[in-house]
Amino acid sequence: MKIEQQGETLYVSEIPELSAANAHAFRNQVNARLPAELKAIEIDLGATHFVDSCGLGALIALHKTATRHNGGVPVRLLNPTPSVQLLIEMTQMHRLFEIQTK
Amino acid sequence: MKALLISPTNRPDLAALTEAMPLPNLPVLGQSLVEHWLEHLARRGAKQVRVLAADRPDQVRRLVGGGARWGLHVDVIPEKTELTPAQARAKYRGDAASGWLSEPDDAVLMDHLPGRSDRNLCASYADWFAGLQEFMPLAAAPHRLGLTERAPGIWVGRHTRVAPSVELRAPCWLGKHVRVGPECVIGPGAILEDRVLVEGRSRITNSVVGPDTFVGTLTALQNSLAWGSALVNWRAGTCLSVPDPFVMSSLAKRSPAAKQAGLAGRFAAWAALALTLPWGLAAIMKSKISGRPALRPVVGVRPRGQAGPRGETVLTYYELENAPGWLRRWPQLWNVARGEFTWVGNRPLRPDQAEQLANDFERLWLAAPVGLFSLADTMGCTDAFGDEARAHASFYAVQANRRLDWSILRRGWQAWSRNAGGARDRTESATLVSPSLAEAEE
């Protein structure tokens, strides 16, 4: 997993999966890198082929953290794979996150 | 040429109709609202249409596919909220002058039917009914295959069988694969959508019967929208659930929330109660000896679409007050045996907890049946109502399948037998949930 700051945006990419195996690590690592002047968080799911309930929990926890951070910071999910996008839509998470595809 | 279709969201005035599907998917005289619009835009010269859907975009996408049916390229885009046409133009069209249909067809909010911008369908049930009545002659266009006008104002779809003694009074519309039994009176003002079954000696006037709805014998529907077992009086704006399936019911596949323990599951619950009786009785005796109540009643919220026999939205279940770990749930085997719980589902929420569900994602908790064992149990959630538990509940509500259920049941029963109290095993839990997503990908 790669986490980098691009201006005022925190960009997370190269996430092969979001599951019970790494959900806590994902959450902790992203939380640890949140800068004070953050304006947006972007999670690139282009390489993510598997998300389970723990992964959803990690995304929701990140969303709640972002809501409390700096007066509320949007979280964008970029380029989800079709199966992950289906899961996002079926669980109504598109009402919480902006979904952007290429 | 491009165009945008905006899907209406959050129309509480049509709540009974949009319970099972988003508004664009609602049937309107044999085709869904969005299909009418795509047909209209294709006739206007559109080639690429984006459908902006905040409510259940997956269901809209499943219905319209890629748009090949209309010679279009259709993309369904999930949005956080419903956009106005001006907002949609600003976001997707920008300053582009060419390549788009002319206004207002370039960005349309689908709260009316094509050519009927003067009639808002979504303002009330009465407006929905009136809109459909007015659209009947327009929907019976020459290109609608298989639709015949048997008499002026009486339209009948393909493969529809009407008994010879039925009286059809104009205006009325019968969709495809409809069956109408003997001595019925249909109309005036009756719309029977596709695959409706009306038994004999019934009377339907000034009403719409939704697709896959059964109307029993000697039933009189007047000023109504009948959708499965939901009955709406469009004049009064009131709604009730018809409890007797022989009067009115849905013929369609049941939603996951309506899933109840089958006979086999209920027999298994009886057997489990019998097998575990010694432990349960021991816990009860222990409480009695120490002078404390043995059973603690808990009020739980029923899942959506699973009201009680008298329409109640809550149910009462019991916990063993002084039992260790999972043995506390022993009395709930009785709820499984009665069919109120399933073996696997989401744990019941108290009414105050249900009020705290903050958004559509969390409210999915109530879209799954109430279960003795839950996914959160097997994932070792220590906080039964925390953020993690809510995520597991929402995931289960949309991904439940037999394989996942068996995995949860196996682990839950093992833990119950060990009285382990749900210790967490990350490796096994990844294997536990991966089959369901793999099946979804298939």
Side-chain angles (χ1 to χ4, degrees), chain B residues 104-441:
Chain B
D105 286 331
D106 64 326
V108 176
L109 173 61
M110 289 187 281
D111 61 357
H112 59 282
L113 283 159
R116 296 309 315 265
S117 55
D118 56 319
R119 169 67 74 184
N120 184 342
L121 290 175
C122 306
S124 65
Y125 293 119
D127 285 304
W128 179 267
F129 176 76
L132 266 63
Q133 292 289 307
E134 290 164 6
F135 197 67
M136 248 197 271
L138 297 171
H143 64 272
R144 289 289 293 270
L145 295 174
L147 189 68
T148 54
E149 192 170 5
R150 279 200 188 177
I154 298 176
W155 292 277
V156 178
R158 262 189 314 179
H159 307 301
T160 285
R161 290 207 216 116
V162 176
S165 55
V166 168
E167 199 178 323
L168 297 177
R169 296 181 184 171
C172 71
W173 174 289
L174 277 63
K176 292 184 291 196
H177 298 281
V178 172
R179 298 286 182 270
V180 183
E183 296 179 47
C184 287
V185 177
I186 308 296
I191 295 173
L192 276 54
E193 295 281 1
D194 296 346
R195 299 175 303 279
V196 164
L197 171 59
V198 182
E199 284 202 318
R201 295 192 282 163
S202 293
R203 190 180 188 100
I204 301 175
T205 53
N206 287 328
S207 298
V208 176
V209 182
D212 301 297
T213 298
F214 167 79
V215 178
T217 193
L218 289 169
T219 300
L221 285 179
Q222 193 175 343
N223 304 326
S224 300
L225 305 176
W227 226 262
S229 59
L231 187 63
V232 173
N233 181 320
W234 56 259
R235 276 201 203 278
T238 53
C239 176
L240 62 89
S241 178
V242 176
D244 187 347
F246 287 98
V247 172
M248 214 173 83
S249 58
S250 173
L251 297 169
K253 201 170 155 190
R254 292 204 299 185
S255 67
K259 181 184 94 174
Q260 291 172 309
L263 271 177
R266 291 169 71 170
F267 276 129
W270 279 110
L273 262 173
L275 276 172
T276 53
L277 197 58
W279 287 275
L281 287 178
I284 291 171
M285 289 301 298
K286 197 171 153 189
S287 296
K288 291 288 184 198
I289 290 166
S290 55
R292 286 179 287 190
L295 295 173
R296 184 170 70 93
V298 185
V299 175
V301 175
R302 289 178 179 270
R304 288 201 299 253
Q306 206 175 343
R310 287 175 292 279
E312 56 272 28
T313 55
V314 295
L315 57 86
T316 302
Y317 63 98
Y318 292 86
E319 288 186 344
L320 276 179
E321 187 67 32
N322 297 304
W326 291 34
L327 194 57
R328 296 175 71 88
R329 296 186 191 180
W330 179 78
Q332 290 154 42
L333 281 169
W334 173 246
N335 295 95
V336 180
R338 282 164 54 96
E340 289 172 335
F341 282 26
T342 51
W343 277 98
V344 177
N346 285 336
R347 292 296 294 156
L349 293 179
R350 298 189 311 266
D352 62 293
Q353 289 175 321
E355 299 268 314
Q356 290 175 49
L357 297 174
N359 49 54
D360 290 342
F361 171 77
E362 293 185 354
R363 282 188 280 270
L364 282 171
W365 189 309
L366 299 174
V370 175
L372 184 63
F373 301 115
S374 70
L375 179 58
D377 290 334
T378 58
M379 300 301 259
C381 277
T382 49
D383 181 355
F385 191 56
D387 288 342
E388 279 193 28
R390 296 182 206 196
H392 293 313
S394 299
F395 181 91
Y396 179 80
V398 302
Q399 292 282 41
N401 57 58
R402 210 178 277 267
R403 208 162 164 191
L404 181 60
D405 282 356
W406 274 110
S407 296
I408 294 169
L409 184 60
R410 179 177 53 82
R411 295 196 67 205
W413 190 254
Q414 284 170 356
W416 203 9
S417 306
R418 287 195 310 264
N419 205 21
R424 189 174 200 147
D425 180 337
R426 286 177 195 272
T427 309
E428 193 173 349
S429 61
T431 309
L432 173 71
V433 300
S434 62
S436 63
L437 192 56
E439 284 176 17
E441 286 180 1

Side-chain angles (χ1 to χ4, degrees), chain B residues 22-178:
Chain B
L23 219 147
N25 288 29
L26 286 178
V28 174
L29 300 160
Q31 277 189 335
S32 64
L33 182 58
V34 67
E35 285 172 311
H36 281 292
W37 273 105
L38 289 172
E39 198 173 271
H40 169 78
L41 291 176
R43 281 203 300 272
R44 292 280 188 170
K47 288 295 175 199
Q48 187 180 334
V49 178
R50 279 180 164 160
V51 181
L52 311 178
D55 182 19
R56 289 166 281 187
D58 56 300
Q59 291 190 33
V60 179
R61 188 180 297 111
R62 204 175 314 140
L63 177 67
V64 305
R69 267 182 283 164
W70 302 278
L72 297 169
H73 179 79
V74 177
D75 278 315
V76 178
I77 314 279
E79 291 282 346
K80 282 174 85 172
T81 56
E82 177 184 325
L83 302 179
T84 63
Q87 289 170 331
R89 282 188 193 103
K91 185 172 178 181
Y92 291 96
R93 181 173 176 170
D95 295 326
S98 63
W100 287 82
L101 293 182
S102 53
E103 290 189 23
D105 286 331
D106 64 326
V108 176
L109 173 61
M110 289 187 281
D111 61 357
H112 59 282
L113 283 159
R116 296 309 315 265
S117 55
D118 56 319
R119 169 67 74 184
N120 184 342
L121 290 175
C122 306
S124 65
Y125 293 119
D127 285 304
W128 179 267
F129 176 76
L132 266 63
Q133 292 289 307
E134 290 164 6
F135 197 67
M136 248 197 271
L138 297 171
H143 64 272
R144 289 289 293 270
L145 295 174
L147 189 68
T148 54
E149 192 170 5
R150 279 200 188 177
I154 298 176
W155 292 277
V156 178
R158 262 189 314 179
H159 307 301
T160 285
R161 290 207 216 116
V162 176
S165 55
V166 168
E167 199 178 323
L168 297 177
R169 296 181 184 171
C172 71
W173 174 289
L174 277 63
K176 292 184 291 196
H177 298 281
V178 172

